[in-house]
Amino acid sequence: MTKFAIGQTVHRLEDPTLLQGKGCYTDDLRPQGAAHAFVLRSPHAHVLIRGIDTTAARKAPGVIAVLTGADAKADDLGTMPCIVPVKNHDGTPRGETPRPVLALDRARHVGDPVALVVAETYHAARDAAELIEVDYEPLPAVADVYGAAQPGAPLVWPEIKQNIVADLHLGSKEAADAAFARAAHISKIELVQNRLVANPMEPRAAFAEYDPETDRSTLHTSSQSVALLRAHIGDIVLKIGDKLRVRSGNVGGAFGMKAMMHPEQPMIVWASRRLKRAVRWTGDRSEGFLTDVQGRDHKVFAELALDKDGKFLAVRATVYAGMGAYLSQFAPMIPQSVHSMMPSVYAFEAAHLHLIETVTNTVPVDAYRGAGRPEGIYVTERLIDIAARELKIAPDELRRRNFIKPSQFPYTTAAGLVYDSGDFEGLQAKALKEADWAGFPARKAASEARGKLRGIGLTMYVERCGGAAPPDSVALKVNKDRVLVLPGTVDNGQGHMTVLKQMVSEYLGVDMEKIDVSQGDSDANPFGLTGGSRFAVVTGTAAGIAAKEVVDKGMEQAAKMLEAAAADIEYGDGDYKVKGTDRKATLFDVASAAGGIEALHIKNTGALTFPNGCHIVEVEIDPQTGVTRLDRYTIVDDFGRALNPMLLLGQVHGGTVQGIGQALLEHAVYDNESAQLLTGSFMDYAMPRADDVPSFHTTFHHTPCTTNPLGVKGAGEAGSVGAPPAIINAIVDVLHAKKGIKHIDMPATREKVWRALNG
Amino acid sequence: MSVKVSMNVNGEAVSAEVPERTLLVSFLRETLNMTGTHVGCDTAQCGACTIHLNGRAIKSCNILAMQAEGGNVTTIEGLAKADGTLHPMQEAFRQNHGLQCGFCTPGMVMSAVDLVKNTPNPTEEQIRELMDGNICRCTGYHNIVKAIAAGATSMAANP
């Protein structure tokens, strides 16, 4: 075993560079002679564009070009694709929302791109944009996901009736109805899944270079997948195929949002090709709020059916899911996960979802950390607490009665997923102990003695990670003294380089110091996507298969060198050895003699993993101010196996704080008349800050995953799934005791909590 | 209108002709090509652009370059020793996994160094309160808080 093998805490190799400000994010590239681009955006949520007069802007100092939707149309640019087909329950296909890279005759949300100005300097481009005269004719707009689907609502797309772009049923309605018909008790909830802004700290950026010799463009952009961007921009929008190379350097956070193509990426490449010149664009935070794909935005009506013993029978929900003005890349798929996650860790007979996806005059919605999993788990875990209260059963006891048991794996859930492993009852028991659940009444009394109100909240969660599509690639190249690893994924801060080196070090028995990792180049890494907590499972497995292939490929050469039959040679600790002798040759010697060994693995296992866990949190509320302080935050997770415990916990902390943000602080609020975003900066949109959140007590309760050779389960999104229900359950614990309140919607801001207590 | 701006950055005298509206952060990034200082917002909220001006932590997006005329600026690039040895606060961030994507990190570290200078033995509560001008979206702050506490100890030991 090598020094830094799988399972050990290895400090990140990425850090010395980043800590000295020597990272290279997209806007840090300083190309000689690049022009600067600025995007003029619609200030209205819904308008007809009668005309665009760019005469004055074109004559402004330093301006190189002003491009509009008409230019894009003349150049035959394709529209931005949504790659998810959906069949409505009546058999018809979902609605289409063809989105040009620059608006043509209509803009459908505030921030929709209207014109692109390219100039010698950023200020020249920005100043010239103010000289563009756009003849706008405002139209009625709609922002509310539920209101949009009501008769008489303004239409975002005249072609899409009642703004319903997709209407489908998931799971058996009949089975759920039958279970509800014989239920002894039914608990109900109506809730809002608040719309969120991903807000990675690095804003989106794109910089395109053009090489006239080869007629090729290179797009440098902050992303989660150079492969998908290459395909979508190169093949679909610009129709230049492999004449596009996409590269990502350091990525300053992404959280799902940067997996999506945004209009500026093809726009900048297009402008660069027209001008035969490098063009750079970096969005500012205000643009990010108006254009980065957002998350969540559901209105939910849900019910839980139980028998007389508190046994869960079925869960069903009607969910209105906001898609924004245009269907983003994966958008219609994301809320479908509400169905697959609704059974959570419990044995249900049936789970049914009626999903109504609506378009509104708002920024498109797509995957944001969790991507459907938090939305689904929240529904069920809130319903369970409500049922527990109504039935006067302790919340931990009601959950215990319904857990899927270890002996039942593999277990097919009511939503059709096959869970491979887990120990939910054991995990909950561990969490209750770690959180000192039994000691809560004493702490509550102590808080009350100080005039504060204390509540406790518990949630279980499970999520789904890994899976078949799209394929990920890992290439390994061994030469005389180094191993080069080329993953298809793109690191966004997780520490992929360190963990990949740990894994390949173990697979090949080679020291980490001799391993290099190169990522983020569509020419070198043709397949792969960072997203859905897939790296450890999918890339880790692929790297293992590629490593085995490297060893196998070197065997013939090793046999020649060691003058032995291949069957008599075994590989271990970086050496080919003749069994029972001391004759050996190192991998590097063999690779050198063979002129290098290469292997490329581009399929993946297709198997899902189901990380799960329990969050327990206590809140202390000041009834005078509504301030809700989180206290004693306990997390127990089952990730199968830790590859690098320190980095793994980093994912838990970060995900949990994004969940805390959703529960207490964050909300993308639109005015429903004008559909203007009211929370368009960090001054209005409350990001969690250091003094909003606690430190965490974390531990693991791993049960090895049986569907991949590493035994790992994804971990990137777990915290964002667990935190919202745990926190709201804790707050409602207080609100119900004091006011008989059954539910409070997220974000449970100080004002909302104060009003609930003092209303 | 252009204006000549001169200042001392990480111990070196620099001087350049820039438009009057140039922000200090743009002067560092665009004029001097020092890209370690980052821009994460446009409302002086996120703190990614934090640097030291005349020994005090400031948000360099919230001040014009010409306001720093004649000043002493330290950026993240000027924190480690010339031989590459990390500053104790940088080392503490590394040891405690106090960074993930690294984008907020230069500002975090510059703020943290200033925090410890003014509050040598900070409690967890003080660290959380005093760091509220720096936003991180990746780490959940848990390890940043640990790193700053460790950095404070090590700065005291290596003044």
Side-chain angles (χ1 to χ4, degrees), chain A residues 153-191:
Chain A
L155 293 181
V156 182
W157 292 84
E159 308 82 350
I160 298 174
K161 201 178 151 201
Q162 253 175 281
N163 295 315
I164 297 174
V165 69
D167 185 336
L168 58 158
H169 289 263
L170 293 162
S172 166
K173 184 176 185 306
E174 294 69 29
D177 289 350
F180 271 86
R182 63 185 175 82
H185 184 83
I186 295 173
S187 292
K188 301 185 180 195
I189 195 167
E190 181 182 331
L191 63 87

mmCIF file of all heavy atoms in Angstrom, chain A residues 153-191:
data_model
loop_
_atom_site.group_PDB
_atom_site.id
_atom_site.type_symbol
_atom_site.label_atom_id
_atom_site.label_comp_id
_atom_site.label_asym_id
_atom_site.label_seq_id
_atom_site.Cartn_x
_atom_site.Cartn_y
_atom_site.Cartn_z
ATOM 1 N N ALA A 153 -53.990 33.758 -16.772
ATOM 2 C CA ALA A 153 -52.645 34.277 -16.498
ATOM 3 C C ALA A 153 -52.001 34.719 -17.814
ATOM 4 O O ALA A 153 -52.257 34.112 -18.862
ATOM 5 C CB ALA A 153 -51.787 33.204 -15.829
ATOM 6 N N PRO A 154 -51.172 35.779 -17.777
ATOM 7 C CA PRO A 154 -50.453 36.176 -18.994
ATOM 8 C C PRO A 154 -49.649 34.993 -19.532
ATOM 9 O O PRO A 154 -49.112 34.207 -18.760
ATOM 10 C CB PRO A 154 -49.513 37.284 -18.505
ATOM 11 C CG PRO A 154 -50.119 37.784 -17.238
ATOM 12 C CD PRO A 154 -50.831 36.626 -16.621
ATOM 13 N N LEU A 155 -49.568 34.894 -20.838
ATOM 14 C CA LEU A 155 -48.864 33.765 -21.433
ATOM 15 C C LEU A 155 -47.420 34.132 -21.774
ATOM 16 O O LEU A 155 -47.165 35.120 -22.464
ATOM 17 C CB LEU A 155 -49.586 33.299 -22.705
ATOM 18 C CG LEU A 155 -50.971 32.675 -22.491
ATOM 19 C CD1 LEU A 155 -51.556 32.228 -23.832
ATOM 20 C CD2 LEU A 155 -50.907 31.498 -21.514
ATOM 21 N N VAL A 156 -46.502 33.322 -21.291
ATOM 22 C CA VAL A 156 -45.082 33.540 -21.577
ATOM 23 C C VAL A 156 -44.792 33.152 -23.026
ATOM 24 O O VAL A 156 -44.035 33.808 -23.727
ATOM 25 C CB VAL A 156 -44.207 32.706 -20.615
ATOM 26 C CG1 VAL A 156 -42.728 32.967 -20.877
ATOM 27 C CG2 VAL A 156 -44.561 33.027 -19.167
ATOM 28 N N TRP A 157 -45.417 32.071 -23.444
ATOM 29 C CA TRP A 157 -45.334 31.585 -24.818
ATOM 30 C C TRP A 157 -46.756 31.424 -25.322
ATOM 31 O O TRP A 157 -47.493 30.585 -24.767
ATOM 32 C CB TRP A 157 -44.623 30.215 -24.879
ATOM 33 C CG TRP A 157 -43.185 30.276 -24.526
ATOM 34 C CD1 TRP A 157 -42.642 30.239 -23.279
ATOM 35 C CD2 TRP A 157 -42.087 30.398 -25.437
ATOM 36 N NE1 TRP A 157 -41.277 30.334 -23.342
ATOM 37 C CE2 TRP A 157 -40.905 30.419 -24.663
ATOM 38 C CE3 TRP A 157 -41.988 30.491 -26.832
ATOM 39 C CZ2 TRP A 157 -39.635 30.535 -25.237
ATOM 40 C CZ3 TRP A 157 -40.725 30.593 -27.398
ATOM 41 C CH2 TRP A 157 -39.565 30.614 -26.610
ATOM 42 N N PRO A 158 -47.175 32.183 -26.336
ATOM 43 C CA PRO A 158 -48.548 32.047 -26.818
ATOM 44 C C PRO A 158 -48.877 30.606 -27.204
ATOM 45 O O PRO A 158 -50.026 30.170 -27.112
ATOM 46 C CB PRO A 158 -48.564 32.961 -28.058
ATOM 47 C CG PRO A 158 -47.436 33.913 -27.872
ATOM 48 C CD PRO A 158 -46.408 33.208 -27.066
ATOM 49 N N GLU A 159 -47.834 29.844 -27.595
ATOM 50 C CA GLU A 159 -48.040 28.463 -28.045
ATOM 51 C C GLU A 159 -48.301 27.516 -26.879
ATOM 52 O O GLU A 159 -48.727 26.380 -27.087
ATOM 53 C CB GLU A 159 -46.800 27.949 -28.789
ATOM 54 C CG GLU A 159 -46.275 28.825 -29.918
ATOM 55 C CD GLU A 159 -45.384 29.999 -29.464
ATOM 56 O OE1 GLU A 159 -45.301 30.263 -28.243
ATOM 57 O OE2 GLU A 159 -44.799 30.654 -30.341
ATOM 58 N N ILE A 160 -47.965 27.935 -25.637
ATOM 59 C CA ILE A 160 -48.068 27.010 -24.500
ATOM 60 C C ILE A 160 -49.275 27.376 -23.647
ATOM 61 O O ILE A 160 -49.287 28.381 -22.940
ATOM 62 C CB ILE A 160 -46.771 27.028 -23.657
ATOM 63 C CG1 ILE A 160 -45.593 26.549 -24.528
ATOM 64 C CG2 ILE A 160 -46.910 26.152 -22.426
ATOM 65 C CD1 ILE A 160 -44.242 26.657 -23.842
ATOM 66 N N LYS A 161 -50.298 26.520 -23.744
ATOM 67 C CA LYS A 161 -51.567 26.777 -23.086
ATOM 68 C C LYS A 161 -51.406 26.836 -21.568
ATOM 69 O O LYS A 161 -50.796 25.945 -20.970
ATOM 70 C CB LYS A 161 -52.534 25.640 -23.461
ATOM 71 C CG LYS A 161 -53.990 25.986 -23.298
ATOM 72 C CD LYS A 161 -54.864 24.819 -23.744
ATOM 73 C CE LYS A 161 -56.163 24.831 -22.967
ATOM 74 N NZ LYS A 161 -56.818 23.532 -22.954
ATOM 75 N N GLN A 162 -51.923 27.860 -20.973
ATOM 76 C CA GLN A 162 -51.902 28.040 -19.516
ATOM 77 C C GLN A 162 -50.489 27.968 -18.932
ATOM 78 O O GLN A 162 -50.323 27.642 -17.757
ATOM 79 C CB GLN A 162 -52.795 27.004 -18.830
ATOM 80 C CG GLN A 162 -54.079 27.645 -18.303
ATOM 81 C CD GLN A 162 -55.024 26.606 -17.741
ATOM 82 O OE1 GLN A 162 -55.716 25.941 -18.519
ATOM 83 N NE2 GLN A 162 -55.072 26.460 -16.428
ATOM 84 N N ASN A 163 -49.515 28.217 -19.758
ATOM 85 C CA ASN A 163 -48.100 28.185 -19.342
ATOM 86 C C ASN A 163 -47.650 26.806 -18.858
ATOM 87 O O ASN A 163 -46.605 26.691 -18.206
ATOM 88 C CB ASN A 163 -47.823 29.236 -18.249
ATOM 89 C CG ASN A 163 -48.000 30.658 -18.748
ATOM 90 O OD1 ASN A 163 -47.522 30.994 -19.830
ATOM 91 N ND2 ASN A 163 -48.722 31.485 -17.992
ATOM 92 N N ILE A 164 -48.451 25.780 -19.142
ATOM 93 C CA ILE A 164 -48.063 24.431 -18.698
ATOM 94 C C ILE A 164 -47.249 23.769 -19.811
ATOM 95 O O ILE A 164 -47.783 23.376 -20.843
ATOM 96 C CB ILE A 164 -49.305 23.592 -18.320
ATOM 97 C CG1 ILE A 164 -50.005 24.262 -17.127
ATOM 98 C CG2 ILE A 164 -48.889 22.159 -17.993
ATOM 99 C CD1 ILE A 164 -51.312 23.620 -16.734
ATOM 100 N N VAL A 165 -45.950 23.651 -19.570
ATOM 101 C CA VAL A 165 -45.056 23.153 -20.614
ATOM 102 C C VAL A 165 -44.952 21.628 -20.572
ATOM 103 O O VAL A 165 -44.633 20.980 -21.566
ATOM 104 C CB VAL A 165 -43.679 23.842 -20.509
ATOM 105 C CG1 VAL A 165 -42.921 23.403 -19.263
ATOM 106 C CG2 VAL A 165 -42.841 23.634 -21.751
ATOM 107 N N ALA A 166 -45.269 21.057 -19.403
ATOM 108 C CA ALA A 166 -45.313 19.598 -19.286
ATOM 109 C C ALA A 166 -46.257 19.237 -18.150
ATOM 110 O O ALA A 166 -46.346 19.966 -17.154
ATOM 111 C CB ALA A 166 -43.934 19.021 -19.019
ATOM 112 N N ASP A 167 -46.960 18.118 -18.303
ATOM 113 C CA ASP A 167 -47.961 17.693 -17.322
ATOM 114 C C ASP A 167 -47.924 16.178 -17.297
ATOM 115 O O ASP A 167 -48.345 15.528 -18.251
ATOM 116 C CB ASP A 167 -49.336 18.215 -17.772
ATOM 117 C CG ASP A 167 -50.420 17.929 -16.741
ATOM 118 O OD1 ASP A 167 -50.260 16.991 -15.934
ATOM 119 O OD2 ASP A 167 -51.439 18.648 -16.762
ATOM 120 N N LEU A 168 -47.362 15.619 -16.233
ATOM 121 C CA LEU A 168 -47.167 14.172 -16.248
ATOM 122 C C LEU A 168 -47.425 13.537 -14.882
ATOM 123 O O LEU A 168 -47.430 14.225 -13.864
ATOM 124 C CB LEU A 168 -45.767 13.810 -16.741
ATOM 125 C CG LEU A 168 -44.550 14.368 -16.007
ATOM 126 C CD1 LEU A 168 -43.339 13.493 -16.283
ATOM 127 C CD2 LEU A 168 -44.244 15.782 -16.473
ATOM 128 N N HIS A 169 -47.688 12.255 -14.926
ATOM 129 C CA HIS A 169 -47.881 11.482 -13.695
ATOM 130 C C HIS A 169 -46.726 10.507 -13.556
ATOM 131 O O HIS A 169 -46.363 9.825 -14.504
ATOM 132 C CB HIS A 169 -49.200 10.724 -13.741
ATOM 133 C CG HIS A 169 -50.393 11.636 -13.631
ATOM 134 N ND1 HIS A 169 -51.038 11.870 -12.441
ATOM 135 C CD2 HIS A 169 -51.017 12.389 -14.562
ATOM 136 C CE1 HIS A 169 -52.033 12.727 -12.639
ATOM 137 N NE2 HIS A 169 -52.047 13.066 -13.932
ATOM 138 N N LEU A 170 -46.154 10.438 -12.362
ATOM 139 C CA LEU A 170 -45.067 9.501 -12.104
ATOM 140 C C LEU A 170 -45.508 8.578 -10.975
ATOM 141 O O LEU A 170 -46.011 9.033 -9.950
ATOM 142 C CB LEU A 170 -43.798 10.258 -11.709
ATOM 143 C CG LEU A 170 -43.198 11.117 -12.843
ATOM 144 C CD1 LEU A 170 -42.236 12.166 -12.302
ATOM 145 C CD2 LEU A 170 -42.493 10.236 -13.864
ATOM 146 N N GLY A 171 -45.338 7.272 -11.172
ATOM 147 C CA GLY A 171 -45.810 6.301 -10.200
ATOM 148 C C GLY A 171 -47.271 5.993 -10.467
ATOM 149 O O GLY A 171 -47.934 6.654 -11.267
ATOM 150 N N SER A 172 -47.780 4.983 -9.800
ATOM 151 C CA SER A 172 -49.150 4.533 -10.054
ATOM 152 C C SER A 172 -50.149 5.335 -9.224
ATOM 153 O O SER A 172 -50.167 5.269 -8.002
ATOM 154 C CB SER A 172 -49.274 3.047 -9.727
ATOM 155 O OG SER A 172 -50.642 2.707 -9.667
ATOM 156 N N LYS A 173 -50.974 6.103 -9.930
ATOM 157 C CA LYS A 173 -52.023 6.867 -9.253
ATOM 158 C C LYS A 173 -53.029 5.906 -8.619
ATOM 159 O O LYS A 173 -53.488 6.124 -7.491
ATOM 160 C CB LYS A 173 -52.713 7.780 -10.264
ATOM 161 C CG LYS A 173 -53.758 8.707 -9.654
ATOM 162 C CD LYS A 173 -54.321 9.653 -10.713
ATOM 163 C CE LYS A 173 -55.278 10.677 -10.095
ATOM 164 N NZ LYS A 173 -56.355 10.102 -9.300
ATOM 165 N N GLU A 174 -53.331 4.838 -9.329
ATOM 166 C CA GLU A 174 -54.327 3.875 -8.839
ATOM 167 C C GLU A 174 -53.852 3.247 -7.524
ATOM 168 O O GLU A 174 -54.618 3.131 -6.562
ATOM 169 C CB GLU A 174 -54.574 2.767 -9.884
ATOM 170 C CG GLU A 174 -55.230 3.238 -11.175
ATOM 171 C CD GLU A 174 -54.333 4.126 -12.049
ATOM 172 O OE1 GLU A 174 -53.089 3.970 -11.988
ATOM 173 O OE2 GLU A 174 -54.873 4.994 -12.769
ATOM 174 N N ALA A 175 -52.590 2.833 -7.510
ATOM 175 C CA ALA A 175 -52.064 2.187 -6.295
ATOM 176 C C ALA A 175 -52.090 3.170 -5.129
ATOM 177 O O ALA A 175 -52.452 2.800 -3.996
ATOM 178 C CB ALA A 175 -50.635 1.694 -6.549
ATOM 179 N N ALA A 176 -51.713 4.411 -5.397
ATOM 180 C CA ALA A 176 -51.711 5.403 -4.322
ATOM 181 C C ALA A 176 -53.137 5.681 -3.855
ATOM 182 O O ALA A 176 -53.417 5.721 -2.645
ATOM 183 C CB ALA A 176 -51.044 6.691 -4.799
ATOM 184 N N ASP A 177 -54.054 5.849 -4.804
ATOM 185 C CA ASP A 177 -55.449 6.116 -4.440
ATOM 186 C C ASP A 177 -56.014 4.982 -3.604
ATOM 187 O O ASP A 177 -56.741 5.199 -2.626
ATOM 188 C CB ASP A 177 -56.295 6.330 -5.708
ATOM 189 C CG ASP A 177 -55.979 7.665 -6.392
ATOM 190 O OD1 ASP A 177 -55.258 8.481 -5.782
ATOM 191 O OD2 ASP A 177 -56.448 7.877 -7.528
ATOM 192 N N ALA A 178 -55.691 3.745 -3.972
ATOM 193 C CA ALA A 178 -56.196 2.581 -3.234
ATOM 194 C C ALA A 178 -55.667 2.594 -1.804
ATOM 195 O O ALA A 178 -56.400 2.328 -0.843
ATOM 196 C CB ALA A 178 -55.794 1.292 -3.949
ATOM 197 N N ALA A 179 -54.387 2.936 -1.653
ATOM 198 C CA ALA A 179 -53.800 2.979 -0.312
ATOM 199 C C ALA A 179 -54.440 4.096 0.513
ATOM 200 O O ALA A 179 -54.742 3.916 1.704
ATOM 201 C CB ALA A 179 -52.290 3.189 -0.418
ATOM 202 N N PHE A 180 -54.663 5.228 -0.104
ATOM 203 C CA PHE A 180 -55.289 6.345 0.619
ATOM 204 C C PHE A 180 -56.721 5.983 1.021
ATOM 205 O O PHE A 180 -57.189 6.382 2.093
ATOM 206 C CB PHE A 180 -55.267 7.628 -0.214
ATOM 207 C CG PHE A 180 -54.014 8.438 -0.002
ATOM 208 C CD1 PHE A 180 -52.865 8.172 -0.736
ATOM 209 C CD2 PHE A 180 -53.967 9.444 0.955
ATOM 210 C CE1 PHE A 180 -51.698 8.896 -0.525
ATOM 211 C CE2 PHE A 180 -52.806 10.176 1.179
ATOM 212 C CZ PHE A 180 -51.664 9.895 0.439
ATOM 213 N N ALA A 181 -57.388 5.199 0.177
ATOM 214 C CA ALA A 181 -58.790 4.848 0.454
ATOM 215 C C ALA A 181 -58.919 4.015 1.725
ATOM 216 O O ALA A 181 -59.934 4.070 2.418
ATOM 217 C CB ALA A 181 -59.376 4.104 -0.753
ATOM 218 N N ARG A 182 -57.901 3.238 2.033
ATOM 219 C CA ARG A 182 -58.007 2.404 3.241
ATOM 220 C C ARG A 182 -57.153 2.948 4.391
ATOM 221 O O ARG A 182 -56.909 2.256 5.384
ATOM 222 C CB ARG A 182 -57.658 0.956 2.930
ATOM 223 C CG ARG A 182 -56.255 0.714 2.458
ATOM 224 C CD ARG A 182 -56.063 -0.764 2.064
ATOM 225 N NE ARG A 182 -54.755 -0.972 1.491
ATOM 226 C CZ ARG A 182 -53.634 -1.154 2.197
ATOM 227 N NH1 ARG A 182 -53.666 -1.172 3.509
ATOM 228 N NH2 ARG A 182 -52.487 -1.324 1.581
ATOM 229 N N ALA A 183 -56.708 4.198 4.289
ATOM 230 C CA ALA A 183 -55.867 4.757 5.348
ATOM 231 C C ALA A 183 -56.670 5.038 6.611
ATOM 232 O O ALA A 183 -57.829 5.437 6.557
ATOM 233 C CB ALA A 183 -55.231 6.055 4.844
ATOM 234 N N ALA A 184 -56.019 4.817 7.751
ATOM 235 C CA ALA A 184 -56.641 5.176 9.028
ATOM 236 C C ALA A 184 -56.414 6.659 9.315
ATOM 237 O O ALA A 184 -57.171 7.290 10.043
ATOM 238 C CB ALA A 184 -56.042 4.327 10.147
ATOM 239 N N HIS A 185 -55.344 7.191 8.754
ATOM 240 C CA HIS A 185 -55.033 8.597 8.994
ATOM 241 C C HIS A 185 -54.353 9.178 7.757
ATOM 242 O O HIS A 185 -53.537 8.516 7.121
ATOM 243 C CB HIS A 185 -54.092 8.740 10.204
ATOM 244 C CG HIS A 185 -53.826 10.173 10.553
ATOM 245 N ND1 HIS A 185 -54.695 10.910 11.334
ATOM 246 C CD2 HIS A 185 -52.811 11.017 10.205
ATOM 247 C CE1 HIS A 185 -54.214 12.144 11.450
ATOM 248 N NE2 HIS A 185 -53.072 12.230 10.774
ATOM 249 N N ILE A 186 -54.717 10.421 7.437
ATOM 250 C CA ILE A 186 -54.069 11.113 6.320
ATOM 251 C C ILE A 186 -53.560 12.453 6.823
ATOM 252 O O ILE A 186 -54.301 13.221 7.433
ATOM 253 C CB ILE A 186 -55.063 11.328 5.148
ATOM 254 C CG1 ILE A 186 -55.486 9.972 4.566
ATOM 255 C CG2 ILE A 186 -54.434 12.209 4.056
ATOM 256 C CD1 ILE A 186 -56.582 10.060 3.517
ATOM 257 N N SER A 187 -52.281 12.718 6.605
ATOM 258 C CA SER A 187 -51.705 14.027 6.954
ATOM 259 C C SER A 187 -51.456 14.799 5.670
ATOM 260 O O SER A 187 -51.093 14.216 4.646
ATOM 261 C CB SER A 187 -50.391 13.848 7.719
ATOM 262 O OG SER A 187 -50.660 13.281 8.978
ATOM 263 N N LYS A 188 -51.666 16.105 5.746
ATOM 264 C CA LYS A 188 -51.560 16.929 4.534
ATOM 265 C C LYS A 188 -50.649 18.118 4.756
ATOM 266 O O LYS A 188 -50.520 18.618 5.871
ATOM 267 C CB LYS A 188 -52.947 17.466 4.151
ATOM 268 C CG LYS A 188 -53.958 16.379 3.880
ATOM 269 C CD LYS A 188 -55.269 16.964 3.387
ATOM 270 C CE LYS A 188 -56.241 15.801 3.143
ATOM 271 N NZ LYS A 188 -57.387 16.160 2.361
ATOM 272 N N ILE A 189 -50.084 18.587 3.673
ATOM 273 C CA ILE A 189 -49.288 19.809 3.737
ATOM 274 C C ILE A 189 -49.373 20.550 2.402
ATOM 275 O O ILE A 189 -49.515 19.930 1.341
ATOM 276 C CB ILE A 189 -47.808 19.517 4.106
ATOM 277 C CG1 ILE A 189 -47.088 20.801 4.516
ATOM 278 C CG2 ILE A 189 -47.076 18.830 2.963
ATOM 279 C CD1 ILE A 189 -45.748 20.579 5.182
ATOM 280 N N GLU A 190 -49.319 21.864 2.494
ATOM 281 C CA GLU A 190 -49.194 22.712 1.316
ATOM 282 C C GLU A 190 -47.933 23.524 1.564
ATOM 283 O O GLU A 190 -47.801 24.131 2.630
ATOM 284 C CB GLU A 190 -50.425 23.626 1.227
ATOM 285 C CG GLU A 190 -50.413 24.545 0.035
ATOM 286 C CD GLU A 190 -51.648 25.473 0.030
ATOM 287 O OE1 GLU A 190 -52.715 25.087 0.555
ATOM 288 O OE2 GLU A 190 -51.496 26.590 -0.483
ATOM 289 N N LEU A 191 -46.996 23.500 0.632
ATOM 290 C CA LEU A 191 -45.737 24.168 0.926
ATOM 291 C C LEU A 191 -45.097 24.788 -0.303
ATOM 292 O O LEU A 191 -45.430 24.451 -1.435
ATOM 293 C CB LEU A 191 -44.754 23.205 1.603
ATOM 294 C CG LEU A 191 -44.275 21.974 0.827
ATOM 295 C CD1 LEU A 191 -43.046 22.301 -0.022
ATOM 296 C CD2 LEU A 191 -43.954 20.847 1.792
#
